[in-house]
Amino acid sequence: MGCRPPGLLFLTSLLHISYTIDTVRLTIEPRNAVQTGTAVRLRCQVSVSHSNIPNLIHSFQLTRDDVPIYTNNTTEDTVEYKINPARAADSGNYECRVSVKNKAKASNSQKLDVKGLQTPTLHLTTSSPYENEEFKATCSAPEEKGPLIFQFYQSFRTGSPEVIKQLSQGGNSSTATLRLSHIGNCILYCDYEIRLVSGNQKSNSSKKVELIVKALHITPIINILPSNNLSEGDIIEVVCRVVNPPSNTEVFLTKDKVILKQVRAAALSHKFTVREDDSGELVCKAEWGSVQKETSQRITVRSLFSKPQLTVEPTDIVEGDPFNLTCSVSILDSSKINNETLQYSIFKDNTEVANTATYVTVAQLSASGNYTCNATSDSLTRTIVKESQKQFVKVKVPVSEPVLSVVGGTLFLGKPFQLSCYSQRGTLPINYTLNQPNKPNDIKVVSKRGEKAIFNLTSITQISDIKNILCHAKNSQLKLPTTGTGEQLLKSSNIIEPVSKPHLTTEPRMEDISEGYNMTLVCSVQRGSFPINFTWYSQEKGFLDSKTSRKLKESHSISNVKGDHAGGYFCECTNPAAEPKQSAPIIIGVKMAGWKKGLIAVFCLLFVMAIILFLFYKKRLPKLKKRRTGTLSVKAASTKVERMSLTQAEVNEAANVCSFHCVAESDDNCSTNTLEKPENQYKEDQLRQADPSRGERLFLNFNKLSFDFLKLSLKYYICSMSVPVKQGTDTVHSEVRNSQQGTTNILLFTQTPFLLHSQEKSGH
Ligand SMILES: *[C@@H]1O[C@H](CO)[C@@H](O)[C@H](O)[C@H]1NC(C)=O
Ligand SMILES: *[C@@H]1O[C@H](CO)[C@@H](O)[C@H](O)[C@H]1NC(C)=O
Ligand SMILES: *[C@@H]1O[C@H](CO)[C@@H](O)[C@H](O)[C@H]1NC(C)=O
Ligand SMILES: *[C@@H]1O[C@H](CO)[C@@H](O)[C@H](O)[C@H]1NC(C)=O
Ligand SMILES: *[C@@H]1O[C@H](CO)[C@@H](O)[C@H](O)[C@H]1NC(C)=O
Ligand SMILES: *[C@@H]1O[C@H](CO)[C@@H](O)[C@H](O)[C@H]1NC(C)=O
Ligand SMILES: *[C@@H]1O[C@H](CO)[C@@H](O)[C@H](O)[C@H]1NC(C)=O
Ligand SMILES: *[C@@H]1O[C@H](CO)[C@@H](O)[C@H](O)[C@H]1NC(C)=O
Ligand SMILES: *[C@@H]1O[C@H](CO)[C@@H](O)[C@H](O)[C@H]1NC(C)=O
Ligand SMILES: *[C@@H]1O[C@H](CO)[C@@H](O)[C@H](O)[C@H]1NC(C)=O
Ligand SMILES: *[C@@H]1O[C@H](CO)[C@@H](O)[C@H](O)[C@H]1NC(C)=O
Ligand SMILES: *[C@@H]1O[C@H](CO)[C@@H](O)[C@H](O)[C@H]1NC(C)=O
């Protein structure tokens, strides 16, 4: 219980340390304001009260204008900082700051003012420089602490001094490079400035130094011989000279910034042959140290003859063609040289091919290259050679006959397609022109090796149009184009022509199709690429058959035709062009079998006999009537006659029905009608299932007479008999309407074929 941990003991002893900084005092000795060079001491004294702490360390820090300049950690309570000698740069506000453990205190601020600046000294490397000669001037104040800003002044006897240089090299002296151009006496001196927080201070000026600037006579003299006016090929001598130069003088001869000659001497001489482009300034220049003097003179050089010109004819050269190269000079100074003495050479790729003015050759492919020519004027005094501009000659490979082909290989007539035209040989670029009849020409310029000209063509519908396509290839202005024709396409390409509209016919002829016989449906097209797929359809039953064939015509047979084969038929054709086409439908009627007709003929015979019987009785009847009284007339008959007074519409309709039957059965005249009114097509079955309003119908064809029976009611039939009357080429078969020409008998029968009444109708 009475035991304490040792850490707590230590903490207790720490708590007993106590101290306080009472004062910090800064003093400057001997005074705050001193003359430059004085030894100055700064003393800082601290007073600390503490609880008897041994070896208490005081950290002193001395600052000038808040910049630390001195620190000392000591147990002493006073430190001293000496400035000896004090200079203007030491001026400023000083402060002393003392820290003890973690407490600090600053002194009051003390201002030190150091008066006076050292007078600078000026030193020159020469006292008599040449005009513009460079020399050095050093201005220094070795006792001062830097950095100092120095100024160099020049003054003449009259006029105010002027600053010729101002610089600060960071220390207490500076060296300037000076160059004086004013010849004669002048004075140089310098001073400096020091920058302090309290403001700038300027020193007194240095001692004035007098110096003499000497003139430098090195301006050269230029001399051109024989003269400044020259002809090309003339030799001239240029002399540059400097009179009495100082040693180490250099002399140059330059032209257009090119040094022609250079000597380290008083004079130079340069001899050379002028060319026609040598006209211009010749410059002589003398250089001594950094001093330069120059003189120039202009020379003009006349041309004796112009540059030769190399002409190539023709400009467009095709392999195998002759071509001419001609070298000529257009302007000539005939007073100096003779036209005839000019010699020409022609070069191909720098190798001479002719030493004449013209070179005629046949263009091989190897003749391509860069040609130049030289014209040479050779005389005793001079030789002038002039070279022409380069002429590039390209010998073209003639274009071979172009090959046409269909892009993709297959051409569907009537659809747009792309045609390529390509010449295997021929220098590029090649112009391909596509020529189609009645269409504007299409031009494609091909400049890449192996590239084909591709043309878009729209809808060619006939093979004959393909043959007339032309493709012209041309790579030279002078040569005729080579031509490829569309004929090639017929061989090289797969041309697919869509099928034309098919036509469906029957065998035997449609009117001759009868029960029990065979019928063949023949489908044919006019045009179309093989193979052609023929498909037959019945309008009632749909698909019948399909055949693929390499013929324009295919047939589908139906054996043993029955009544129910009657109806509409059509066929459809297609081929790889995939544009199926359908024929117009045909309507097929099927004639009754012969035995059925025979049976009807027997009936008919009976009717005819009945007619004859009737006619016979008709003759006798009036006599009988006379013998009998009027009441004896057959009442039933008279009522039936009244019944026969049908409304005109009924008659017409009956007649129509009748006549239609006639038409349907009339082999010679009714075929078109048959097609037009297929819904009324005769069918035996329909004979008995006819619309009751129209009555049941029965038809007879006996010799040249046609009989048509229409059952009007249970008891009565209406019947028409037509007698074909030739009227031109027409046969009158619409009896009721055309009764002026024919005669229509409307016969009235009882259900049993017994004649009741006959009314002869004329007109309507
Ligand atoms: C004095 O002590 C301080 C820390 O108390 C230290 O930062 C400084 O460098 C010391 N100065 C010298 C001169 O030892
Ligand atoms: C620090 O101050 C003491 C006492 O004034 C002095 O003896 C000592 O030389 C000083 N040290 C430095 C580094 O100035
Ligand atoms: C310049 O010189 C004069 C007298 O020679 C002196 O009184 C003066 O203090 C000097 N000026 C400076 C800035 O030193
Ligand atoms: C003056 O400058 C020189 C060279 O930079 C240097 O050695 C010298 O100590 C400087 N004088 C003073 C007083 O700083
Ligand atoms: C080439 O020159 C010859 C004679 O010099 C001339 O007959 C011929 O026409 C010229 N040919 C051409 C293409 O100029
Ligand atoms: C040089 O002479 C030829 C005939 O010999 C003539 O055709 C040509 O024009 C003359 N050239 C000049 C530049 O006079
Ligand atoms: C011809 O000169 C042209 C440059 O002017 C150069 O590009 C070409 O290669 C030369 N042709 C030949 C065959 O030397
Ligand atoms: C053609 O003349 C030119 C100067 O114009 C020259 O440099 C060149 O060597 C001459 N060519 C030949 C093959 O002499
Ligand atoms: C030719 O047709 C192709 C596509 O079929 C098309 O990309 C192209 O632009 C057409 N060219 C021209 C010149 O009409
Ligand atoms: C080729 O066609 C272009 C432009 O249509 C034309 O400028 C050029 O002269 C033609 N080139 C030839 C050899 O016909
Ligand atoms: C013909 O065409 C029809 C209908 O497109 C098709 O059903 C039939 O298979 C084709 N026949 C042949 C032999 O390609
Ligand atoms: C009908 O065709 C069949 C074969 O399909 C044939 O045997 C028959 O003889 C043909 N009949 C007539 C009348 O041509």
Side-chain angles (χ1 to χ4, degrees):
M1 287 285 271
C3 225
R4 277 188 189 172
L8 201 60
L9 184 69
F10 172 69
L11 194 65
T12 320
S13 68
L14 258 182
L15 287 172
H16 285 176
I17 295 172
S18 66
Y19 62 95
T20 176
I21 303 170
D22 300 327
T23 54
V24 179
R25 217 155 63 86
L26 178 66
T27 49
I28 296 177
E29 289 174 0
R31 296 171 292 279
N32 284 38
V34 294
Q35 275 300 316
T36 181
T38 313
V40 172
R41 287 185 308 279
L42 292 136
R43 177 177 290 120
C44 184
Q45 194 170 27
V46 68
S47 155
V48 180
S49 304
H50 55 90
S51 57
N52 209 6
I53 303 166
N55 300 325
L56 194 64
I57 292 174
H58 311 105
S59 287
F60 290 89
Q61 188 186 53
L62 197 64
T63 58
R64 182 179 65 225
D65 298 324
D66 284 352
V67 178
I69 52 169
Y70 174 70
T71 59
N72 191 343
N73 296 343
T74 178
T75 53
E76 302 291 323
D77 62 355
T78 306
V79 293
E80 211 174 71
Y81 178 66
K82 292 192 177 83
I83 307 172
N84 188 19
R87 298 294 177 194
D90 296 320
S91 302
N93 288 307
Y94 287 82
E95 220 176 74
C96 179
R97 191 179 175 81
V98 182
S99 318
V100 178
K101 292 191 186 293
N102 47 10
K103 287 185 179 169
K105 198 175 175 86
S107 72
N108 56 329
S109 168
Q110 291 285 347
K111 183 173 183 181
L112 174 64
D113 190 6
V114 182
K115 288 203 160 49
L117 287 172
Q118 189 192 5
T119 301
T121 55
L122 177 64
H123 175 76
L124 303 178
T125 51
T126 176
S127 63
S128 57
Y130 280 112
E131 52 174 320
N132 286 323
E133 185 192 355
E134 282 181 351
F135 64 95
K136 293 206 183 327
T138 304
C139 190
S140 65
E143 285 175 7
E144 290 299 332
K145 296 172 186 173
L148 305 176
I149 301 162
F150 291 90
Q151 271 142 339
F152 294 84
Y153 300 86
Q154 180 185 28
S155 75
F156 301 101
R157 287 205 195 287
T158 56
S160 53
E162 60 177 313
V163 177
I164 53 170
K165 209 99 180 205
Q166 170 165 354
L167 71 165
S168 172
Q169 291 165 345
N172 54 29
S173 81
S174 274
T175 302
T177 304
L178 300 179
R179 217 174 56 221
L180 302 176
S181 54
H182 198 280
I183 296 161
N185 289 7
C186 73
I187 289 160
L188 289 184
Y189 65 91
C190 72
D191 65 10
Y192 63 88
E193 219 175 68
I194 182 163
R195 286 192 181 154
L196 300 173
V197 172
S198 53
N200 292 357
Q201 285 194 30
K202 205 172 173 76
S203 76
N204 278 343
S205 296
S206 70
K207 242 173 62 196
K208 295 189 163 129
V209 179
E210 186 160 358
L211 73 170
I212 302 160
V213 179
K214 294 184 287 183
L216 182 60
H217 295 290
I218 55 165
T219 305
I221 302 158
I222 188 166
N223 233 324
I224 298 172
L225 294 169
S227 85
N228 290 17
N229 253 346
L230 303 157
S231 291
E232 57 177 333
D234 285 349
I235 295 166
I236 61 165
E237 184 176 11
V238 184
V239 175
C240 287
R241 198 154 33 92
V242 182
V243 182
N244 285 335
S247 58
N248 282 336
T249 303
E250 275 186 295
V251 180
F252 299 82
L253 175 65
T254 66
K255 179 170 183 297
D256 299 329
K257 296 190 175 173
V258 175
I259 295 176
L260 300 180
K261 195 154 186 182
Q262 171 188 13
V263 293
R264 193 174 281 273
L268 67 74
S269 152
H270 182 53
K271 226 179 197 179
F272 65 102
T273 305
V274 288
R275 298 190 310 266
E276 80 178 300
D277 56 357
D278 276 342
S279 292
E281 295 273 295
L282 282 171
V283 179
C284 267
K285 187 156 129 182
E287 192 174 281
W288 183 84
S290 58
V291 181
Q292 293 186 344
K293 292 281 159 76
E294 60 177 54
T295 323
S296 69
Q297 264 197 38
R298 165 166 284 279
I299 56 166
T300 50
V301 181
R302 272 193 328 276
S303 166
L304 287 185
F305 60 93
S306 59
K307 268 190 159 197
Q309 271 191 318
L310 184 65
T311 49
V312 183
E313 262 186 280
T315 48
D316 202 44
I317 304 165
V318 177
E319 189 182 12
D321 285 357
F323 73 99
N324 289 0
L325 288 164
T326 310
C327 193
S328 63
V329 164
S330 56
I331 303 164
L332 190 81
D333 184 351
S334 48
S335 65
K336 287 266 164 66
I337 60 164
N338 190 345
N339 186 353
E340 266 80 56
T341 63
L342 279 180
Q343 285 163 4
Y344 298 94
S345 308
I346 297 173
F347 304 89
K348 171 180 178 285
D349 298 327
N350 297 322
T351 312
E352 192 175 74
V353 291
N355 56 4
T356 52
T358 37
Y359 173 54
V360 181
T361 186
V362 171
Q364 305 297 326
L365 285 184
S366 59
S368 293
N370 288 323
Y371 286 83
T372 55
C373 80
N374 274 11
T376 310
S377 159
D378 215 352
S379 70
L380 285 176
T381 52
R382 68 190 104 207
T383 300
I384 303 167
V385 182
K386 291 192 182 182
E387 191 172 23
S388 72
Q389 293 272 326
K390 222 186 262 181
Q391 282 282 353
F392 182 65
V393 170
K394 170 85 184 156
V395 177
K396 291 180 177 173
V397 178
V399 71
S400 64
E401 192 176 284
V403 174
L404 284 166
S405 63
V406 172
V407 176
T410 305
L411 192 170
F412 293 100
L413 282 184
K415 288 188 180 163
F417 65 99
Q418 288 187 317
L419 201 61
S420 78
C421 187
Y422 176 59
S423 290
Q424 191 76 35
R425 270 163 50 81
T427 299
L428 300 170
I430 298 173
N431 286 11
Y432 291 98
T433 307
L434 190 77
N435 184 271
Q436 278 178 273
N438 308 322
K439 292 227 176 106
N441 287 351
D442 197 358
I443 297 180
K444 292 271 149 71
V445 181
V446 165
S447 331
K448 267 190 247 148
R449 182 164 298 281
E451 194 190 339
K452 299 178 174 185
I454 306 286
F455 298 96
N456 284 359
L457 279 84
T458 48
S459 56
I460 289 230
T461 49
Q462 287 171 17
I463 288 190
S464 58
D465 287 349
I466 294 177
K467 288 186 192 163
N468 290 332
I469 294 175
L470 297 177
C471 180
H472 305 290
K474 190 171 157 89
N475 71 348
S476 156
Q477 302 289 355
L478 303 174
K479 292 270 173 177
L480 286 176
T482 56
T483 302
T485 71
E487 277 313 330
Q488 301 165 352
L489 293 174
L490 301 183
K491 287 174 224 147
S492 65
S493 309
N494 187 12
I495 298 171
I496 297 195
E497 186 176 17
V499 289
S500 60
K501 189 178 168 74
H503 185 60
L504 184 64
T505 56
T506 59
E507 271 172 25
R509 291 188 308 163
M510 231 156 9
E511 311 81 46
D512 297 341
I513 295 166
S514 313
E515 282 181 317
Y517 290 91
N518 290 354
M519 164 174 93
T520 306
L521 296 170
V522 180
C523 189
S524 59
V525 291
Q526 297 281 317
R527 292 182 306 278
S529 298
F530 300 133
I532 301 175
N533 178 350
F534 295 87
T535 313
W536 289 265
Y537 296 93
S538 155
Q539 280 181 336
E540 287 78 18
K541 297 172 192 150
F543 175 82
L544 293 177
D545 189 13
S546 97
K547 281 180 189 165
T548 300
S549 165
R550 302 193 74 84
K551 286 188 284 183
L552 290 174
K553 191 179 198 182
E554 268 300 334
S555 53
H556 166 66
S557 291
I558 300 171
S559 55
N560 192 14
V561 172
K562 302 218 177 58
D564 64 354
H565 281 121
Y569 291 88
F570 64 91
C571 71
E572 186 181 271
C573 291
T574 181
N575 71 351
E579 285 177 21
K581 300 234 171 67
Q582 287 186 355
S583 71
I586 59 167
I587 310 295
I588 291 173
V590 178
K591 281 192 201 163
M592 255 180 286
W595 61 269
K596 287 183 185 167
K597 287 186 179 172
L599 199 66
I600 293 168
V602 171
F603 275 110
C604 199
L605 207 60
L606 290 172
F607 289 135
V608 171
M609 280 161 67
I611 290 165
I612 294 164
L613 216 62
F614 164 75
L615 290 174
F616 172 77
Y617 276 108
K618 197 184 176 185
K619 262 189 175 175
R620 297 287 173 101
L621 208 60
K623 290 171 190 171
L624 286 171
K625 269 189 176 174
K626 270 182 185 168
R627 258 183 258 151
R628 292 183 184 183
T629 62
T631 51
L632 273 175
S633 62
V634 179
K635 198 152 195 187
S638 68
T639 46
K640 299 309 177 258
V641 171
E642 267 175 41
R643 177 64 191 91
M644 264 317 296
S645 310
L646 302 165
T647 63
Q648 193 59 55
E650 280 173 313
V651 170
N652 284 349
E653 192 180 319
N656 265 346
V657 171
C658 289
S659 70
F660 186 74
H661 276 283
C662 158
V663 163
E665 282 299 302
S666 172
D667 294 344
D668 295 325
N669 308 309
C670 301
S671 59
T672 49
N673 249 348
T674 312
L675 288 174
E676 283 161 17
K677 296 187 175 179
E679 73 276 6
N680 292 334
Q681 178 70 26
Y682 171 77
K683 279 195 180 175
E684 185 151 20
D685 284 356
Q686 286 171 357
L687 194 65
R688 293 183 215 294
Q689 292 161 7
D691 183 351
S693 71
R694 287 195 164 188
E696 199 170 283
R697 284 146 58 178
L698 188 64
F699 177 78
L700 274 181
N701 193 357
F702 187 72
N703 201 7
K704 290 233 163 166
L705 300 175
S706 297
F707 293 92
D708 193 356
F709 302 93
L710 175 65
K711 187 177 173 183
L712 288 176
S713 69
L714 205 61
K715 288 186 177 172
Y716 306 109
Y717 283 88
I718 184 166
C719 177
S720 67
M721 181 187 74
S722 359
V723 181
V725 179
K726 290 284 176 193
Q727 183 203 31
T729 53
D730 276 329
T731 301
V732 176
H733 44 74
S734 181
E735 309 72 22
V736 174
R737 289 187 189 168
N738 301 311
S739 52
Q740 272 123 341
Q741 283 82 32
T743 304
T744 305
N745 283 317
I746 296 177
L747 307 174
L748 202 62
F749 291 93
T750 55
Q751 195 171 16
T752 48
F754 175 70
L755 180 67
L756 288 177
H757 186 74
S758 165
Q759 188 182 3
E760 190 170 312
K761 272 196 78 168
S762 232
H764 288 292

